[in-house]
PDB file of all heavy atoms in Angstrom:
ATOM      1  N   GLU A   1     -94.300  73.623 181.826  1.00 86.00           N
ATOM      2  CA  GLU A   1     -93.220  73.520 182.866  1.00 86.00           C
ATOM      3  C   GLU A   1     -93.783  73.006 184.251  1.00 86.00           C
ATOM      4  O   GLU A   1     -93.106  72.215 184.858  1.00 86.00           O
ATOM      5  CB  GLU A   1     -92.551  74.893 183.031  1.00 86.00           C
ATOM      6  CG  GLU A   1     -91.272  74.714 183.791  1.00 86.00           C
ATOM      7  CD  GLU A   1     -90.418  76.035 183.720  1.00 86.00           C
ATOM      8  OE1 GLU A   1     -90.534  76.717 182.769  1.00 86.00           O
ATOM      9  OE2 GLU A   1     -89.764  76.346 184.684  1.00 86.00           O
ATOM     10  N   SER A   2     -94.890  73.384 184.705  1.00 85.00           N
ATOM     11  CA  SER A   2     -95.352  73.071 185.977  1.00 85.00           C
ATOM     12  C   SER A   2     -95.872  71.602 186.072  1.00 85.00           C
ATOM     13  O   SER A   2     -96.031  70.986 187.099  1.00 85.00           O
ATOM     14  CB  SER A   2     -96.463  73.929 186.473  1.00 85.00           C
ATOM     15  OG  SER A   2     -97.635  73.840 185.735  1.00 85.00           O
ATOM     16  N   THR A   3     -96.290  71.059 184.884  1.00 87.00           N
ATOM     17  CA  THR A   3     -96.825  69.603 184.903  1.00 87.00           C
ATOM     18  C   THR A   3     -95.953  68.597 184.134  1.00 87.00           C
ATOM     19  O   THR A   3     -96.138  67.494 184.430  1.00 87.00           O
ATOM     20  CB  THR A   3     -98.228  69.669 184.258  1.00 87.00           C
ATOM     21  OG1 THR A   3     -98.083  70.178 182.854  1.00 87.00           O
ATOM     22  CG2 THR A   3     -99.225  70.580 184.952  1.00 87.00           C
ATOM     23  N   ASP A   4     -95.108  69.072 183.266  1.00 89.00           N
ATOM     24  CA  ASP A   4     -94.352  68.154 182.495  1.00 89.00           C
ATOM     25  C   ASP A   4     -92.962  68.736 182.302  1.00 89.00           C
ATOM     26  O   ASP A   4     -92.673  69.276 181.157  1.00 89.00           O
ATOM     27  CB  ASP A   4     -95.056  67.801 181.149  1.00 89.00           C
ATOM     28  CG  ASP A   4     -94.255  66.910 180.167  1.00 89.00           C
ATOM     29  OD1 ASP A   4     -93.273  66.277 180.763  1.00 89.00           O
ATOM     30  OD2 ASP A   4     -94.638  66.737 179.092  1.00 89.00           O
ATOM     31  N   ARG A   5     -92.159  68.646 183.240  1.00 90.00           N
ATOM     32  CA  ARG A   5     -90.753  69.320 183.247  1.00 90.00           C
ATOM     33  C   ARG A   5     -89.952  68.707 182.064  1.00 90.00           C
ATOM     34  O   ARG A   5     -89.350  69.501 181.274  1.00 90.00           O
ATOM     35  CB  ARG A   5     -89.910  68.972 184.495  1.00 90.00           C
ATOM     36  CG  ARG A   5     -88.656  69.716 184.527  1.00 90.00           C
ATOM     37  CD  ARG A   5     -87.980  69.471 185.821  1.00 90.00           C
ATOM     38  NE  ARG A   5     -86.814  70.255 185.976  1.00 90.00           N
ATOM     39  CZ  ARG A   5     -85.576  69.772 185.760  1.00 90.00           C
ATOM     40  NH1 ARG A   5     -85.388  68.451 185.685  1.00 90.00           N
ATOM     41  NH2 ARG A   5     -84.553  70.495 185.818  1.00 90.00           N
ATOM     42  N   ASP A   6     -89.966  67.442 181.676  1.00 92.00           N
ATOM     43  CA  ASP A   6     -89.200  66.934 180.564  1.00 92.00           C
ATOM     44  C   ASP A   6     -89.743  67.455 179.268  1.00 92.00           C
ATOM     45  O   ASP A   6     -88.901  67.794 178.409  1.00 92.00           O
ATOM     46  CB  ASP A   6     -89.218  65.338 180.637  1.00 92.00           C
ATOM     47  CG  ASP A   6     -88.396  64.828 181.776  1.00 92.00           C
ATOM     48  OD1 ASP A   6     -87.585  65.443 182.339  1.00 92.00           O
ATOM     49  OD2 ASP A   6     -88.737  63.680 182.162  1.00 92.00           O
ATOM     50  N   GLY A   7     -91.076  67.487 179.179  1.00 89.00           N
ATOM     51  CA  GLY A   7     -91.623  68.001 177.912  1.00 89.00           C
ATOM     52  C   GLY A   7     -91.268  69.466 177.749  1.00 89.00           C
ATOM     53  O   GLY A   7     -91.074  69.836 176.638  1.00 89.00           O
ATOM     54  N   ALA A   8     -91.322  70.254 178.801  1.00 91.00           N
ATOM     55  CA  ALA A   8     -90.958  71.633 178.738  1.00 91.00           C
ATOM     56  C   ALA A   8     -89.511  71.722 178.302  1.00 91.00           C
ATOM     57  O   ALA A   8     -89.319  72.644 177.517  1.00 91.00           O
ATOM     58  CB  ALA A   8     -91.136  72.437 180.188  1.00 91.00           C
ATOM     59  N   GLU A   9     -88.638  70.972 178.811  1.00 91.00           N
ATOM     60  CA  GLU A   9     -87.204  71.086 178.314  1.00 91.00           C
ATOM     61  C   GLU A   9     -87.061  70.794 176.938  1.00 91.00           C
ATOM     62  O   GLU A   9     -86.138  71.446 176.237  1.00 91.00           O
ATOM     63  CB  GLU A   9     -86.300  70.081 179.259  1.00 91.00           C
ATOM     64  CG  GLU A   9     -86.117  70.615 180.621  1.00 91.00           C
ATOM     65  CD  GLU A   9     -84.969  69.827 181.323  1.00 91.00           C
ATOM     66  OE1 GLU A   9     -84.002  69.269 180.694  1.00 91.00           O
ATOM     67  OE2 GLU A   9     -85.047  69.883 182.552  1.00 91.00           O
ATOM     68  N   VAL A  10     -87.820  69.771 176.442  1.00 91.00           N
ATOM     69  CA  VAL A  10     -87.704  69.447 174.974  1.00 91.00           C
ATOM     70  C   VAL A  10     -88.228  70.761 174.201  1.00 91.00           C
ATOM     71  O   VAL A  10     -87.637  71.006 173.199  1.00 91.00           O
ATOM     72  CB  VAL A  10     -88.505  68.263 174.571  1.00 91.00           C
ATOM     73  CG1 VAL A  10     -88.714  68.047 173.132  1.00 91.00           C
ATOM     74  CG2 VAL A  10     -87.960  66.959 175.263  1.00 91.00           C
ATOM     75  N   LEU A  11     -89.231  71.346 174.583  1.00 89.00           N
ATOM     76  CA  LEU A  11     -89.726  72.518 173.869  1.00 89.00           C
ATOM     77  C   LEU A  11     -88.688  73.681 173.927  1.00 89.00           C
ATOM     78  O   LEU A  11     -88.467  74.447 172.995  1.00 89.00           O
ATOM     79  CB  LEU A  11     -91.053  72.885 174.372  1.00 89.00           C
ATOM     80  CG  LEU A  11     -92.262  71.869 174.063  1.00 89.00           C
ATOM     81  CD1 LEU A  11     -93.417  72.135 174.972  1.00 89.00           C
ATOM     82  CD2 LEU A  11     -92.585  71.943 172.658  1.00 89.00           C
ATOM     83  N   TYR A  12     -88.243  73.864 175.093  1.00 91.00           N
ATOM     84  CA  TYR A  12     -87.223  75.019 175.330  1.00 91.00           C
ATOM     85  C   TYR A  12     -86.005  74.688 174.339  1.00 91.00           C
ATOM     86  O   TYR A  12     -85.417  75.682 173.765  1.00 91.00           O
ATOM     87  CB  TYR A  12     -86.807  75.146 176.704  1.00 91.00           C
ATOM     88  CG  TYR A  12     -87.915  75.731 177.664  1.00 91.00           C
ATOM     89  CD1 TYR A  12     -87.879  75.396 178.929  1.00 91.00           C
ATOM     90  CD2 TYR A  12     -88.661  76.684 177.199  1.00 91.00           C
ATOM     91  CE1 TYR A  12     -88.803  75.899 179.905  1.00 91.00           C
ATOM     92  CE2 TYR A  12     -89.665  77.189 178.069  1.00 91.00           C
ATOM     93  CZ  TYR A  12     -89.686  76.775 179.351  1.00 91.00           C
ATOM     94  OH  TYR A  12     -90.632  77.388 180.070  1.00 91.00           O
ATOM     95  N   ARG A  13     -85.542  73.542 174.310  1.00 90.00           N
ATOM     96  CA  ARG A  13     -84.352  73.130 173.465  1.00 90.00           C
ATOM     97  C   ARG A  13     -84.710  73.372 172.046  1.00 90.00           C
ATOM     98  O   ARG A  13     -83.924  73.822 171.204  1.00 90.00           O
ATOM     99  CB  ARG A  13     -83.934  71.696 173.677  1.00 90.00           C
ATOM    100  CG  ARG A  13     -82.846  71.099 172.971  1.00 90.00           C
ATOM    101  CD  ARG A  13     -81.665  72.071 172.678  1.00 90.00           C
ATOM    102  NE  ARG A  13     -80.855  72.176 173.902  1.00 90.00           N
ATOM    103  CZ  ARG A  13     -79.742  73.049 174.023  1.00 90.00           C
ATOM    104  NH1 ARG A  13     -79.448  73.757 172.972  1.00 90.00           N
ATOM    105  NH2 ARG A  13     -79.214  73.112 175.132  1.00 90.00           N
ATOM    106  N   GLN A  14     -85.907  73.036 171.526  1.00 88.00           N
ATOM    107  CA  GLN A  14     -86.342  73.311 170.174  1.00 88.00           C
ATOM    108  C   GLN A  14     -86.304  74.768 169.956  1.00 88.00           C
ATOM    109  O   GLN A  14     -85.984  75.226 168.801  1.00 88.00           O
ATOM    110  CB  GLN A  14     -87.781  72.762 169.942  1.00 88.00           C
ATOM    111  CG  GLN A  14     -87.743  71.202 169.834  1.00 88.00           C
ATOM    112  CD  GLN A  14     -89.214  70.610 169.789  1.00 88.00           C
ATOM    113  OE1 GLN A  14     -90.255  71.379 169.866  1.00 88.00           O
ATOM    114  NE2 GLN A  14     -89.279  69.369 169.639  1.00 88.00           N
ATOM    115  N   ALA A  15     -86.876  75.649 170.936  1.00 88.00           N
ATOM    116  CA  ALA A  15     -86.776  77.096 170.780  1.00 88.00           C
ATOM    117  C   ALA A  15     -85.366  77.537 170.616  1.00 88.00           C
ATOM    118  O   ALA A  15     -85.015  78.427 169.969  1.00 88.00           O
ATOM    119  CB  ALA A  15     -87.510  77.773 171.908  1.00 88.00           C
ATOM    120  N   ALA A  16     -84.452  77.013 171.497  1.00 87.00           N
ATOM    121  CA  ALA A  16     -83.081  77.363 171.510  1.00 87.00           C
ATOM    122  C   ALA A  16     -82.456  77.009 170.201  1.00 87.00           C
ATOM    123  O   ALA A  16     -81.602  77.916 169.707  1.00 87.00           O
ATOM    124  CB  ALA A  16     -82.356  76.677 172.640  1.00 87.00           C
ATOM    125  N   ASP A  17     -82.778  75.818 169.566  1.00 86.00           N
ATOM    126  CA  ASP A  17     -82.254  75.428 168.269  1.00 86.00           C
ATOM    127  C   ASP A  17     -82.708  76.504 167.166  1.00 86.00           C
ATOM    128  O   ASP A  17     -82.041  76.657 166.110  1.00 86.00           O
ATOM    129  CB  ASP A  17     -82.647  74.123 167.915  1.00 86.00           C
ATOM    130  CG  ASP A  17     -82.036  73.141 168.767  1.00 86.00           C
ATOM    131  OD1 ASP A  17     -81.019  73.352 169.400  1.00 86.00           O
ATOM    132  OD2 ASP A  17     -82.480  71.925 168.823  1.00 86.00           O
ATOM    133  N   LEU A  18     -83.786  77.194 167.381  1.00 84.00           N
ATOM    134  CA  LEU A  18     -84.259  78.323 166.461  1.00 84.00           C
ATOM    135  C   LEU A  18     -83.625  79.689 166.900  1.00 84.00           C
ATOM    136  O   LEU A  18     -84.111  80.715 166.222  1.00 84.00           O
ATOM    137  CB  LEU A  18     -85.794  78.352 166.468  1.00 84.00           C
ATOM    138  CG  LEU A  18     -86.506  77.088 165.921  1.00 84.00           C
ATOM    139  CD1 LEU A  18     -88.051  77.279 166.063  1.00 84.00           C
ATOM    140  CD2 LEU A  18     -86.032  76.912 164.349  1.00 84.00           C
ATOM    141  N   GLY A  19     -82.733  79.723 167.787  1.00 81.00           N
ATOM    142  CA  GLY A  19     -82.027  80.884 168.181  1.00 81.00           C
ATOM    143  C   GLY A  19     -82.407  81.654 169.329  1.00 81.00           C
ATOM    144  O   GLY A  19     -82.081  82.769 169.575  1.00 81.00           O
ATOM    145  N   SER A  20     -83.357  81.132 170.297  1.00 84.00           N
ATOM    146  CA  SER A  20     -83.826  81.777 171.319  1.00 84.00           C
ATOM    147  C   SER A  20     -82.831  81.727 172.542  1.00 84.00           C
ATOM    148  O   SER A  20     -82.781  80.691 173.161  1.00 84.00           O
ATOM    149  CB  SER A  20     -85.236  81.200 171.721  1.00 84.00           C
ATOM    150  OG  SER A  20     -85.682  81.760 172.933  1.00 84.00           O
ATOM    151  N   ALA A  21     -82.312  82.911 172.839  1.00 81.00           N
ATOM    152  CA  ALA A  21     -81.510  82.937 174.089  1.00 81.00           C
ATOM    153  C   ALA A  21     -82.276  82.771 175.333  1.00 81.00           C
ATOM    154  O   ALA A  21     -81.817  82.266 176.359  1.00 81.00           O
ATOM    155  CB  ALA A  21     -80.635  84.324 174.011  1.00 81.00           C
ATOM    156  N   HIS A  22     -83.495  83.349 175.262  1.00 84.00           N
ATOM    157  CA  HIS A  22     -84.374  83.193 176.410  1.00 84.00           C
ATOM    158  C   HIS A  22     -84.620  81.673 176.725  1.00 84.00           C
ATOM    159  O   HIS A  22     -84.667  81.369 177.959  1.00 84.00           O
ATOM    160  CB  HIS A  22     -85.732  83.864 176.108  1.00 84.00           C
ATOM    161  CG  HIS A  22     -86.683  83.795 177.234  1.00 84.00           C
ATOM    162  ND1 HIS A  22     -88.013  83.679 177.040  1.00 84.00           N
ATOM    163  CD2 HIS A  22     -86.575  83.796 178.617  1.00 84.00           C
ATOM    164  CE1 HIS A  22     -88.674  83.590 178.145  1.00 84.00           C
ATOM    165  NE2 HIS A  22     -87.834  83.644 179.104  1.00 84.00           N
ATOM    166  N   ALA A  23     -84.786  80.852 175.740  1.00 88.00           N
ATOM    167  CA  ALA A  23     -85.078  79.396 175.968  1.00 88.00           C
ATOM    168  C   ALA A  23     -83.769  78.884 176.686  1.00 88.00           C
ATOM    169  O   ALA A  23     -83.905  77.986 177.606  1.00 88.00           O
ATOM    170  CB  ALA A  23     -85.306  78.678 174.587  1.00 88.00           C
ATOM    171  N   LEU A  24     -82.604  79.159 176.257  1.00 86.00           N
ATOM    172  CA  LEU A  24     -81.313  78.707 176.921  1.00 86.00           C
ATOM    173  C   LEU A  24     -81.329  79.194 178.305  1.00 86.00           C
ATOM    174  O   LEU A  24     -80.908  78.394 179.265  1.00 86.00           O
ATOM    175  CB  LEU A  24     -80.185  79.237 176.075  1.00 86.00           C
ATOM    176  CG  LEU A  24     -79.930  78.549 174.721  1.00 86.00           C
ATOM    177  CD1 LEU A  24     -78.958  79.340 173.863  1.00 86.00           C
ATOM    178  CD2 LEU A  24     -79.544  77.060 174.908  1.00 86.00           C
ATOM    179  N   ASP A  25     -81.779  80.415 178.551  1.00 84.00           N
ATOM    180  CA  ASP A  25     -81.750  80.989 179.921  1.00 84.00           C
ATOM    181  C   ASP A  25     -82.700  80.252 180.766  1.00 84.00           C
ATOM    182  O   ASP A  25     -82.364  79.827 181.898  1.00 84.00           O
ATOM    183  CB  ASP A  25     -82.074  82.377 179.790  1.00 84.00           C
ATOM    184  CG  ASP A  25     -81.904  83.132 181.258  1.00 84.00           C
ATOM    185  OD1 ASP A  25     -80.693  83.225 181.724  1.00 84.00           O
ATOM    186  OD2 ASP A  25     -82.903  83.541 181.857  1.00 84.00           O
ATOM    187  N   ARG A  26     -83.853  79.864 180.258  1.00 88.00           N
ATOM    188  CA  ARG A  26     -84.843  79.179 180.986  1.00 88.00           C
ATOM    189  C   ARG A  26     -84.369  77.781 181.302  1.00 88.00           C
ATOM    190  O   ARG A  26     -84.568  77.237 182.438  1.00 88.00           O
ATOM    191  CB  ARG A  26     -86.267  79.166 180.138  1.00 88.00           C
ATOM    192  CG  ARG A  26     -87.378  78.673 180.696  1.00 88.00           C
ATOM    193  CD  ARG A  26     -87.824  79.611 181.905  1.00 88.00           C
ATOM    194  NE  ARG A  26     -88.202  78.862 182.963  1.00 88.00           N
ATOM    195  CZ  ARG A  26     -87.922  78.916 184.299  1.00 88.00           C
ATOM    196  NH1 ARG A  26     -87.141  79.996 184.702  1.00 88.00           N
ATOM    197  NH2 ARG A  26     -88.320  78.103 185.219  1.00 88.00           N
ATOM    198  N   LEU A  27     -83.735  77.131 180.233  1.00 90.00           N
ATOM    199  CA  LEU A  27     -83.130  75.831 180.632  1.00 90.00           C
ATOM    200  C   LEU A  27     -82.107  75.853 181.650  1.00 90.00           C
ATOM    201  O   LEU A  27     -82.048  74.929 182.515  1.00 90.00           O
ATOM    202  CB  LEU A  27     -82.581  75.197 179.331  1.00 90.00           C
ATOM    203  CG  LEU A  27     -83.477  74.642 178.344  1.00 90.00           C
ATOM    204  CD1 LEU A  27     -82.843  74.410 176.953  1.00 90.00           C
ATOM    205  CD2 LEU A  27     -84.112  73.363 178.831  1.00 90.00           C
ATOM    206  N   ALA A  28     -81.238  76.872 181.665  1.00 87.00           N
ATOM    207  CA  ALA A  28     -80.264  76.994 182.664  1.00 87.00           C
ATOM    208  C   ALA A  28     -80.791  77.203 184.096  1.00 87.00           C
ATOM    209  O   ALA A  28     -80.422  76.660 185.004  1.00 87.00           O
ATOM    210  CB  ALA A  28     -79.358  78.303 182.344  1.00 87.00           C
ATOM    211  N   VAL A  29     -81.852  78.028 184.133  1.00 87.00           N
ATOM    212  CA  VAL A  29     -82.532  78.148 185.429  1.00 87.00           C
ATOM    213  C   VAL A  29     -83.158  76.842 185.985  1.00 87.00           C
ATOM    214  O   VAL A  29     -83.071  76.510 187.161  1.00 87.00           O
ATOM    215  CB  VAL A  29     -83.650  79.315 185.413  1.00 87.00           C
ATOM    216  CG1 VAL A  29     -84.543  79.287 186.685  1.00 87.00           C
ATOM    217  CG2 VAL A  29     -83.030  80.584 185.118  1.00 87.00           C
ATOM    218  N   MET A  30     -83.781  76.082 185.028  1.00 90.00           N
ATOM    219  CA  MET A  30     -84.302  74.823 185.458  1.00 90.00           C
ATOM    220  C   MET A  30     -83.253  73.816 185.995  1.00 90.00           C
ATOM    221  O   MET A  30     -83.432  73.144 186.887  1.00 90.00           O
ATOM    222  CB  MET A  30     -85.082  74.146 184.230  1.00 90.00           C
ATOM    223  CG  MET A  30     -86.401  74.846 183.899  1.00 90.00           C
ATOM    224  SD  MET A  30     -87.120  74.155 182.427  1.00 90.00           S
ATOM    225  CE  MET A  30     -87.867  72.576 183.068  1.00 90.00           C
ATOM    226  N   ARG A  31     -82.134  73.861 185.259  1.00 90.00           N
ATOM    227  CA  ARG A  31     -80.998  72.993 185.699  1.00 90.00           C
ATOM    228  C   ARG A  31     -80.431  73.506 187.051  1.00 90.00           C
ATOM    229  O   ARG A  31     -80.193  72.623 187.858  1.00 90.00           O
ATOM    230  CB  ARG A  31     -79.908  72.957 184.685  1.00 90.00           C
ATOM    231  CG  ARG A  31     -80.271  72.389 183.294  1.00 90.00           C
ATOM    232  CD  ARG A  31     -80.044  70.925 183.286  1.00 90.00           C
ATOM    233  NE  ARG A  31     -80.697  70.261 182.044  1.00 90.00           N
ATOM    234  CZ  ARG A  31     -80.045  70.184 180.990  1.00 90.00           C
ATOM    235  NH1 ARG A  31     -78.771  70.569 180.836  1.00 90.00           N
ATOM    236  NH2 ARG A  31     -80.605  69.636 179.949  1.00 90.00           N
ATOM    237  N   GLU A  32     -80.370  74.732 187.182  1.00 88.00           N
ATOM    238  CA  GLU A  32     -79.834  75.316 188.496  1.00 88.00           C
ATOM    239  C   GLU A  32     -80.768  74.901 189.645  1.00 88.00           C
ATOM    240  O   GLU A  32     -80.332  74.488 190.686  1.00 88.00           O
ATOM    241  CB  GLU A  32     -79.669  76.788 188.380  1.00 88.00           C
ATOM    242  CG  GLU A  32     -79.138  77.581 189.595  1.00 88.00           C
ATOM    243  CD  GLU A  32     -78.986  78.887 189.521  1.00 88.00           C
ATOM    244  OE1 GLU A  32     -79.976  79.618 189.183  1.00 88.00           O
ATOM    245  OE2 GLU A  32     -77.877  79.408 189.735  1.00 88.00           O
ATOM    246  N   ASN A  33     -82.061  74.997 189.370  1.00 88.00           N
ATOM    247  CA  ASN A  33     -83.120  74.640 190.386  1.00 88.00           C
ATOM    248  C   ASN A  33     -83.044  73.258 190.683  1.00 88.00           C
ATOM    249  O   ASN A  33     -83.369  72.813 191.781  1.00 88.00           O
ATOM    250  CB  ASN A  33     -84.572  75.128 189.934  1.00 88.00           C
ATOM    251  CG  ASN A  33     -84.734  76.663 189.965  1.00 88.00           C
ATOM    252  OD1 ASN A  33     -83.925  77.394 190.621  1.00 88.00           O
ATOM    253  ND2 ASN A  33     -85.660  77.075 189.178  1.00 88.00           N
ATOM    254  N   ALA A  34     -82.632  72.327 189.826  1.00 90.00           N
ATOM    255  CA  ALA A  34     -82.545  70.923 189.897  1.00 90.00           C
ATOM    256  C   ALA A  34     -81.227  70.610 190.617  1.00 90.00           C
ATOM    257  O   ALA A  34     -80.989  69.473 190.761  1.00 90.00           O
ATOM    258  CB  ALA A  34     -82.704  70.133 188.683  1.00 90.00           C
ATOM    259  N   GLY A  35     -80.324  71.503 190.781  1.00 92.00           N
ATOM    260  CA  GLY A  35     -79.069  71.264 191.521  1.00 92.00           C
ATOM    261  C   GLY A  35     -77.917  70.936 190.577  1.00 92.00           C
ATOM    262  O   GLY A  35     -76.840  70.508 191.056  1.00 92.00           O
ATOM    263  N   ASP A  36     -78.173  71.063 189.312  1.00 92.00           N
ATOM    264  CA  ASP A  36     -77.192  70.824 188.283  1.00 92.00           C
ATOM    265  C   ASP A  36     -76.355  72.119 187.877  1.00 92.00           C
ATOM    266  O   ASP A  36     -76.628  72.763 186.868  1.00 92.00           O
ATOM    267  CB  ASP A  36     -77.769  70.145 187.110  1.00 92.00           C
ATOM    268  CG  ASP A  36     -76.789  69.794 185.926  1.00 92.00           C
ATOM    269  OD1 ASP A  36     -75.662  69.990 186.134  1.00 92.00           O
ATOM    270  OD2 ASP A  36     -77.322  69.388 184.873  1.00 92.00           O
ATOM    271  N   ARG A  37     -75.514  72.573 188.787  1.00 87.00           N
ATOM    272  CA  ARG A  37     -74.800  73.817 188.563  1.00 87.00           C
ATOM    273  C   ARG A  37     -73.997  73.817 187.315  1.00 87.00           C
ATOM    274  O   ARG A  37     -73.937  74.806 186.508  1.00 87.00           O
ATOM    275  CB  ARG A  37     -73.928  74.064 189.793  1.00 87.00           C
ATOM    276  CG  ARG A  37     -73.070  75.331 189.651  1.00 87.00           C
ATOM    277  CD  ARG A  37     -73.892  76.498 190.065  1.00 87.00           C
ATOM    278  NE  ARG A  37     -72.909  77.716 190.072  1.00 87.00           N
ATOM    279  CZ  ARG A  37     -73.238  78.914 190.064  1.00 87.00           C
ATOM    280  NH1 ARG A  37     -74.584  79.221 190.141  1.00 87.00           N
ATOM    281  NH2 ARG A  37     -72.441  79.890 190.093  1.00 87.00           N
ATOM    282  N   ASP A  38     -73.291  72.688 186.951  1.00 89.00           N
ATOM    283  CA  ASP A  38     -72.477  72.612 185.819  1.00 89.00           C
ATOM    284  C   ASP A  38     -73.333  72.690 184.604  1.00 89.00           C
ATOM    285  O   ASP A  38     -72.902  73.396 183.647  1.00 89.00           O
ATOM    286  CB  ASP A  38     -71.657  71.289 185.803  1.00 89.00           C
ATOM    287  CG  ASP A  38     -70.522  71.228 186.852  1.00 89.00           C
ATOM    288  OD1 ASP A  38     -70.147  72.321 187.323  1.00 89.00           O
ATOM    289  OD2 ASP A  38     -70.093  70.088 187.288  1.00 89.00           O
ATOM    290  N   GLY A  39     -74.433  71.872 184.571  1.00 89.00           N
ATOM    291  CA  GLY A  39     -75.313  72.064 183.350  1.00 89.00           C
ATOM    292  C   GLY A  39     -75.915  73.520 183.272  1.00 89.00           C
ATOM    293  O   GLY A  39     -76.007  73.956 182.069  1.00 89.00           O
ATOM    294  N   ALA A  40     -76.207  74.113 184.319  1.00 86.00           N
ATOM    295  CA  ALA A  40     -76.709  75.587 184.234  1.00 86.00           C
ATOM    296  C   ALA A  40     -75.720  76.432 183.634  1.00 86.00           C
ATOM    297  O   ALA A  40     -75.959  77.286 182.793  1.00 86.00           O
ATOM    298  CB  ALA A  40     -77.214  75.956 185.682  1.00 86.00           C
ATOM    299  N   GLU A  41     -74.412  76.259 184.104  1.00 84.00           N
ATOM    300  CA  GLU A  41     -73.385  77.199 183.593  1.00 84.00           C
ATOM    301  C   GLU A  41     -73.076  76.907 182.091  1.00 84.00           C
ATOM    302  O   GLU A  41     -72.829  77.828 181.388  1.00 84.00           O
ATOM    303  CB  GLU A  41     -72.073  76.939 184.378  1.00 84.00           C
ATOM    304  CG  GLU A  41     -71.089  77.934 184.028  1.00 84.00           C
ATOM    305  CD  GLU A  41     -69.799  77.831 184.968  1.00 84.00           C
ATOM    306  OE1 GLU A  41     -70.026  77.774 186.188  1.00 84.00           O
ATOM    307  OE2 GLU A  41     -68.685  77.925 184.391  1.00 84.00           O
ATOM    308  N   ALA A  42     -73.124  75.565 181.761  1.00 86.00           N
ATOM    309  CA  ALA A  42     -72.887  75.340 180.289  1.00 86.00           C
ATOM    310  C   ALA A  42     -74.012  75.829 179.484  1.00 86.00           C
ATOM    311  O   ALA A  42     -73.768  76.568 178.371  1.00 86.00           O
ATOM    312  CB  ALA A  42     -72.904  73.835 180.029  1.00 86.00           C
ATOM    313  N   LEU A  43     -75.248  75.804 179.786  1.00 84.00           N
ATOM    314  CA  LEU A  43     -76.422  76.407 179.088  1.00 84.00           C
ATOM    315  C   LEU A  43     -76.224  77.946 179.083  1.00 84.00           C
ATOM    316  O   LEU A  43     -76.513  78.564 178.156  1.00 84.00           O
ATOM    317  CB  LEU A  43     -77.649  75.966 179.669  1.00 84.00           C
ATOM    318  CG  LEU A  43     -78.123  74.542 179.332  1.00 84.00           C
ATOM    319  CD1 LEU A  43     -79.123  74.030 180.229  1.00 84.00           C
ATOM    320  CD2 LEU A  43     -78.543  74.395 177.876  1.00 84.00           C
ATOM    321  N   SER A  44     -75.800  78.477 180.224  1.00 81.00           N
ATOM    322  CA  SER A  44     -75.690  79.936 180.284  1.00 81.00           C
ATOM    323  C   SER A  44     -74.537  80.428 179.303  1.00 81.00           C
ATOM    324  O   SER A  44     -74.673  81.460 178.721  1.00 81.00           O
ATOM    325  CB  SER A  44     -75.291  80.412 181.636  1.00 81.00           C
ATOM    326  OG  SER A  44     -76.390  80.080 182.627  1.00 81.00           O
ATOM    327  N   ARG A  45     -73.472  79.637 179.267  1.00 80.00           N
ATOM    328  CA  ARG A  45     -72.438  80.099 178.246  1.00 80.00           C
ATOM    329  C   ARG A  45     -72.992  79.980 176.768  1.00 80.00           C
ATOM    330  O   ARG A  45     -72.765  80.820 176.073  1.00 80.00           O
ATOM    331  CB  ARG A  45     -71.228  79.176 178.449  1.00 80.00           C
ATOM    332  CG  ARG A  45     -70.360  79.406 179.610  1.00 80.00           C
ATOM    333  CD  ARG A  45     -69.141  78.636 179.610  1.00 80.00           C
ATOM    334  NE  ARG A  45     -68.349  78.816 180.841  1.00 80.00           N
ATOM    335  CZ  ARG A  45     -67.636  79.941 181.024  1.00 80.00           C
ATOM    336  NH1 ARG A  45     -67.437  80.680 180.112  1.00 80.00           N
ATOM    337  NH2 ARG A  45     -66.966  80.050 182.139  1.00 80.00           N
ATOM    338  N   GLU A  46     -73.859  79.020 176.617  1.00 81.00           N
ATOM    339  CA  GLU A  46     -74.499  78.811 175.268  1.00 81.00           C
ATOM    340  C   GLU A  46     -75.351  80.013 174.923  1.00 81.00           C
ATOM    341  O   GLU A  46     -75.411  80.623 173.893  1.00 81.00           O
ATOM    342  CB  GLU A  46     -75.283  77.462 175.132  1.00 81.00           C
ATOM    343  CG  GLU A  46     -75.686  77.139 173.742  1.00 81.00           C
ATOM    344  CD  GLU A  46     -76.369  75.839 173.714  1.00 81.00           C
ATOM    345  OE1 GLU A  46     -76.241  74.994 174.707  1.00 81.00           O
ATOM    346  OE2 GLU A  46     -77.009  75.550 172.688  1.00 81.00           O
TER     347      GLU A  46
END
């Protein structure tokens, strides 16, 4: 996450596809920190 944000997002999405709610939460926080409130909310709903 600290060195390769895009790579971290891909890994979190793979974890989410395996059922990890924590990965979705992490992705939502990353989107929120990037200023993408709508994306963060969509991931939070997921």
Side-chain angles (χ1 to χ4, degrees):
E1 195 170 326
S2 63
T3 58
D4 179 11
R5 183 175 185 255
D6 291 339
E9 284 194 26
V10 167
L11 292 163
Y12 289 146
R13 177 45 70 185
Q14 290 172 355
D17 290 345
L18 291 174
S20 173
H22 179 216
L24 290 166
D25 187 69
R26 194 63 222 133
L27 284 167
V29 169
M30 290 176 75
R31 296 274 170 87
E32 184 179 54
N33 289 342
D36 180 5
R37 176 82 176 169
D38 291 339
E41 187 170 319
L43 285 162
S44 294
R45 285 185 185 278
E46 191 176 345

